[in-house]
Amino acid sequence: MELLRNISQQPTNSNRMYEPNQPGSCELRRKRTEDHGHAPAEMSKIITDPATGKCYCRGKVLGKGGFAKCYEMTDLSTSKVYAAKIIPHTRVSKPHQREKIDREIELHRVLHHKHIVHFYHHFEDKDNIYILLEYCSRRSLAHILKARKVLTEPEVRYYLRQIVSGLKYLHEQEILHRDLKLGNFFVSESMELKVGDFGLAAKLEPAGNRRKTICGTPNYLSPEVLNKQGHGCESDVWALGCVMYTMLLGRPPFETTNLKETYRCIREARYSLPSSLSPQAKQLISSLLAKAPEDRPHLDHILRHDFFSQGFVPERLPASCCHSAPEFHVSSPAKSFFKKAAAALFGGKRDKVKYYETLNKLTKEEEEIYKLRHDLKKTVISQQQQSKQMTEDGRPPSPSAGRPVALATEGLPPTTRDTIRLIVRGSLGSCSSSSECLEDSTTGSVAETITSVLRGCLENMPKDDIPNGTECSNLQWVTKWVDYSNKYGFGYQLSDHIVGVLFNNGTHMSLLADKKTVHYYAELGQCSVFSTSDVPEHFVGQVTVLKYFAHYMEENLMDGGDLVSQPDTHMPRLYLLQWLKSDRALMMLFNDGTFQVNFYHDHTKIILCTQREEYMLTYINEERVSTTFRLSSLLTSGCPADLRQRMEYSLNMLLQRCN
């Protein structure tokens, strides 16, 4: 918020915060309007909204700005705490000043996004204008950086991912922020980031009619803004590059002791990239700070950059990150090089673990482990063969193979009747024993069956009604996953705590919930069972990787939903046949026909499986709350629009797999 301007400036090279009277420390066109007469009367502690009669108690000052102060303010009737921006009428007495406040209110009040500071209410009395906003108890990233000096790369990924989410929403509403900086990124009690302060925000205009006024914070201005070429979404992307640079290095990229020189550096896009930064961080900063606006990446592409796809991104940060570096250390029960690699890969305090110092000390083998990575830019398919089971006459088998079921399907086309029978009956018609499940023909057959089931459901169910949920007994599904397919394979943890790895050579290993028993499935289906205390010599390497994945997921990843399963200490019922990734989701196909799709950005999931010979579809929403539907119910009652969209996307992924 604007009122946090003077406390939210970025640290200089000496790691001190800008003082308000320093050159370049306050926003252009936000000049201080100090009163030169008598000091204003003391503001009342109890403030009443004249329109509603609600009373609020004014608390401590949270920040100050050119026009206003921000206070903690409590609704006395509900005890809800707000951040209240209070603007004296004397500060906005001129028409253009009042118009500016009204425009900020008008833009902000309609915004609703989890990474945007929420606007609750505004009112005014004879002395002041009051704007009640979401209270963020951890203050801002500027405060965190002031205490920390620099942030680790995993933290920067965590914060940037949320900033990009909020900024993408703003741009979709055709709103430019025009003042992105650390002081305008607020942090909630649960360490969620919220973009705030819309005092300089403006509606996006057509290219030929864009605003050409110079406004913002000097260190974050883009070349086109300085050159009065107009504001576009690209200017916000430039500021994002400045923010990333500042978080990693503790100073803005174009900071100098002279404002004129700072502007010269910005116009020339001239800045330094220290060797302490990782290559991926350098590449992303360089693209964000491209001199020409058209050369900067679109927001949709930023999160697909190697900086994110090849590095650890924590799901949550502890509150201790506000004042000290987090510990992302992951130790492995394997050889010592795993320990060194994990320590370097997942951080630790910067004075203890230096990214490149560690890399330079590793041997060639250790370096390979250290560089475990995956690529979200392209769709990646696991390295199993994708041949399809063929009948004697060369055609794929009918997906509706199974026992007949008496249904009211007269009058429907034969293909529709077969699909409905399949949906209601839940018959896979293949994969009769576990010894066949890793064979490529079975994989193709199971995938085609699921494709037919999903397509039939989507084509035949109504669009508007919403069915009732049902119970799903002991559903097994993937709660955590790790993609190290560049080197080893794909690892996952099931809801019953079994951990599996589908290796790049097509073999599969499962570590049971007792952490003592391993089941190994070879390419042609032979199953071997052995104890972790007595591993055959030729399996030692794979068991080491299996344990490494299990330990990493246990220590670093949180469960993806509220469904739990009873541990299976005997024969694993579920193990992975194939997986596929797109830029939006991860698809997993299992031996018993269970099909799961995880959507990255909102963490929603759908799981299709059979229970008591009937297909069931479970949907886990953004709050990790699950609802299960019978597919036969969906055929008659329809489903929510958001679930239908995800089912359609999942079908497209299956079709892509089959092509």
Side-chain angles (χ1 to χ4, degrees):
M1 294 175 289
E2 175 188 348
L3 35 104
L4 294 181
R5 275 304 168 245
N6 297 328
I7 60 172
S8 65
Q9 304 305 323
Q10 308 312 319
T12 65
N13 290 328
S14 62
N15 288 319
R16 62 186 175 84
M17 304 301 281
Y18 285 127
E19 297 300 328
N21 59 354
Q22 282 188 302
S25 67
C26 60
E27 294 66 21
L28 304 178
R29 304 196 63 203
R30 286 197 176 190
K31 296 179 180 178
R32 190 177 294 277
T33 56
E34 301 290 353
D35 292 330
H36 296 289
H38 298 290
E42 181 68 25
M43 192 186 304
S44 172
K45 274 287 196 182
I46 304 299
I47 296 166
T48 304
D49 180 347
T52 65
K54 272 198 171 188
C55 293
Y56 301 89
C57 180
R58 180 175 56 85
K60 64 183 180 182
V61 175
L62 299 176
K64 300 178 182 179
F67 286 100
K69 285 185 179 179
C70 186
Y71 293 88
E72 188 178 289
M73 203 150 89
T74 306
D75 184 334
L76 292 177
S77 62
T78 64
S79 298
K80 184 174 178 63
V81 179
Y82 300 93
K85 185 173 183 176
I86 303 179
I87 308 128
H89 284 303
T90 55
R91 293 290 178 87
V92 290
S93 56
K94 297 179 180 178
H96 74 276
Q97 294 171 331
R98 179 59 195 243
E99 287 170 10
K100 176 182 171 302
I101 299 300
D102 290 342
R103 183 173 65 248
E104 178 182 353
I105 291 171
E106 199 61 32
L107 285 175
H108 197 173
R109 69 190 300 178
V110 298
L111 301 178
H112 300 283
H113 190 273
K114 64 181 179 179
H115 295 305
I116 300 289
V117 170
H118 189 68
F119 183 105
Y120 284 101
H121 181 52
H122 80 284
F123 63 92
E124 55 187 286
D125 57 24
K126 62 183 180 62
D127 297 316
N128 305 298
I129 302 167
Y130 305 89
I131 302 174
L132 302 185
L133 303 169
E134 181 178 4
Y135 177 65
C136 295
S137 62
R138 307 289 180 191
R139 306 183 76 178
S140 73
L141 282 188
H143 294 91
I144 293 175
L145 194 69
K146 183 179 181 181
R148 291 280 307 282
K149 312 307 180 190
V150 291
L151 302 182
T152 63
E153 287 198 4
E155 290 174 283
V156 171
R157 293 186 192 100
Y158 172 85
Y159 290 126
L160 279 181
R161 187 167 61 176
Q162 298 180 56
I163 293 170
V164 169
S165 175
L167 190 57
K168 184 180 176 185
Y169 169 78
L170 283 180
H171 289 179
E172 287 170 351
Q173 310 305 308
E174 298 188 331
I175 293 175
L176 303 176
H177 189 281
R178 303 204 302 173
D179 197 23
L180 296 175
K181 61 180 185 180
L182 270 68
N184 289 338
F185 302 133
F186 301 94
V187 182
S188 72
E189 181 71 18
S190 61
M191 296 297 291
E192 279 199 335
L193 184 140
K194 316 276 182 175
V195 180
D197 192 347
F198 294 90
L200 286 182
K203 293 293 286 185
L204 177 64
E205 302 290 346
N209 195 31
R210 288 182 175 176
R211 299 169 184 267
K212 295 181 172 59
T213 50
I214 300 177
C215 67
T217 302
N219 272 315
Y220 296 80
L221 297 177
S222 65
E224 63 269 22
V225 169
L226 274 180
N227 294 330
K228 298 186 178 180
Q229 295 170 325
H231 299 80
C233 295
E234 303 85 0
S235 296
D236 279 347
V237 172
W238 171 279
L240 200 61
C242 296
V243 165
M244 178 180 174
Y245 187 105
T246 304
M247 286 193 286
L248 288 170
L249 296 170
R251 64 183 187 278
F254 305 102
E255 179 188 74
T256 67
T257 56
N258 180 284
L259 190 57
K260 188 175 180 181
E261 179 62 21
T262 292
Y263 287 167
R264 183 180 294 111
C265 291
I266 291 173
R267 285 190 173 98
E268 298 172 3
R270 174 162 45 90
Y271 59 95
S272 61
L273 286 170
S275 59
S276 58
L277 293 176
S278 69
Q280 294 82 6
K282 290 180 182 179
Q283 291 163 9
L284 181 54
I285 290 171
S286 297
S287 65
L288 296 172
L289 297 181
K291 184 177 179 180
E294 61 272 17
D295 292 338
R296 296 171 206 153
H298 190 275
L299 289 174
D300 281 333
H301 300 146
I302 291 174
L303 296 182
R304 301 176 202 165
H305 191 274
D306 288 349
F307 177 72
F308 290 93
S309 64
Q310 296 182 8
F312 171 59
V313 186
E315 285 287 332
R316 289 283 185 272
L317 287 180
S320 60
C321 288
C322 293
H323 52 77
S324 59
E327 292 285 355
F328 295 124
H329 178 77
V330 179
S331 61
S332 168
K335 300 176 183 179
S336 61
F337 68 80
F338 273 105
K339 297 181 180 179
K340 286 196 284 183
L345 183 59
F346 302 113
K349 296 183 179 179
R350 291 180 72 96
D351 59 346
K352 290 184 179 179
V353 180
K354 298 285 188 178
Y355 191 95
Y356 274 100
E357 286 179 6
T358 305
L359 183 59
N360 291 335
K361 293 176 183 176
L362 299 178
T363 66
K364 185 66 178 175
E365 184 181 19
E366 293 167 348
E367 185 177 336
E368 288 300 316
I369 303 297
Y370 178 76
K371 291 179 176 177
L372 294 172
R373 62 183 62 179
H374 61 274
D375 188 355
L376 287 177
K377 286 183 178 179
K378 300 176 182 178
T379 299
V380 180
I381 303 176
S382 60
Q383 295 182 18
Q384 286 183 284
Q385 297 282 330
Q386 293 185 33
S387 58
K388 302 174 183 178
Q389 184 181 20
M390 306 296 282
T391 57
E392 290 182 2
D393 59 359
R395 293 176 300 171
S398 169
S400 58
R403 289 173 289 177
V405 181
L407 294 172
T409 58
E410 288 75 11
L412 293 175
T415 54
T416 302
R417 289 200 302 268
D418 289 343
T419 298
I420 291 176
R421 286 193 183 99
L422 181 65
I423 290 171
V424 174
R425 191 62 181 172
S427 172
L428 287 171
S430 63
C431 196
S432 59
S433 69
S434 61
S435 63
E436 299 173 351
C437 286
L438 282 181
E439 293 186 16
D440 303 324
S441 59
T442 302
T443 303
S445 181
V446 172
E448 289 189 6
T449 301
I450 299 300
T451 301
S452 179
V453 168
L454 268 180
R455 181 191 282 123
C457 187
L458 286 166
E459 288 177 352
N460 291 284
M461 71 178 175
K463 291 187 176 181
D464 297 324
D465 297 332
I466 300 177
N468 295 320
T470 187
E471 291 291 326
C472 194
S473 60
N474 205 28
L475 169 67
Q476 280 186 296
W477 60 287
V478 174
T479 60
K480 304 175 182 181
W481 59 272
V482 179
D483 174 10
Y484 285 166
S485 58
N486 69 298
K487 185 68 177 178
Y488 299 113
F490 183 90
Y492 61 94
Q493 179 176 300
L494 295 172
S495 50
D496 58 3
H497 304 294
I498 290 177
V499 172
V501 175
L502 179 59
F503 291 95
N504 289 342
N505 64 2
T507 62
H508 185 285
M509 268 189 182
S510 293
L511 179 64
L512 302 198
D514 61 7
K515 307 301 180 190
K516 299 176 182 178
T517 310
V518 175
H519 286 245
Y520 174 81
Y521 299 91
E523 245 178 318
L524 297 178
Q526 299 91 351
C527 181
S528 303
V529 180
F530 50 84
S531 169
T532 54
S533 60
D534 188 23
V535 179
E537 186 176 350
H538 55 288
F539 288 147
V540 168
Q542 285 178 283
V543 172
T544 297
V545 173
L546 176 65
K547 288 182 176 180
Y548 177 64
F549 282 5
H551 185 80
Y552 168 69
M553 288 187 284
E554 182 68 28
E555 293 295 320
N556 292 276
L557 304 183
M558 59 189 300
D559 288 335
D562 62 345
L563 286 167
V564 295
S565 305
Q566 294 299 318
D568 188 347
T569 57
H570 302 292
M571 191 71 167
R573 178 171 62 85
L574 200 67
Y575 51 89
L576 188 65
L577 288 179
Q578 192 174 52
W579 57 275
L580 180 146
K581 287 167 71 175
S582 73
D583 59 358
R584 183 181 168 191
L586 162 71
M587 180 194 87
M588 292 166 284
L589 183 66
F590 291 86
N591 61 300
D592 71 341
T594 295
F595 172 67
Q596 179 171 332
V597 179
N598 291 15
F599 294 87
Y600 307 135
H601 300 305
D602 59 6
H603 305 294
T604 56
K605 302 165 186 69
I606 64 171
I607 305 146
L608 181 65
C609 69
T610 55
Q611 292 272 316
R612 295 181 294 275
E613 296 190 338
E614 181 175 6
Y615 271 105
M616 314 290 280
L617 189 140
T618 298
Y619 177 44
I620 301 177
N621 65 17
E622 294 183 46
E623 284 72 42
R624 295 184 168 83
V625 177
S626 60
T627 307
T628 297
F629 306 99
R630 290 186 175 88
L631 240 61
S632 55
S633 298
L634 298 185
L635 279 172
T636 57
S637 303
C639 71
D642 57 339
L643 176 55
R644 177 185 282 271
Q645 291 168 2
R646 285 162 177 79
M647 290 172 66
E648 289 171 346
Y649 189 87
S650 302
L651 175 59
N652 287 333
M653 289 191 76
L654 271 171
L655 292 172
Q656 182 179 359
R657 176 256 169 231
C658 293
N659 290 335

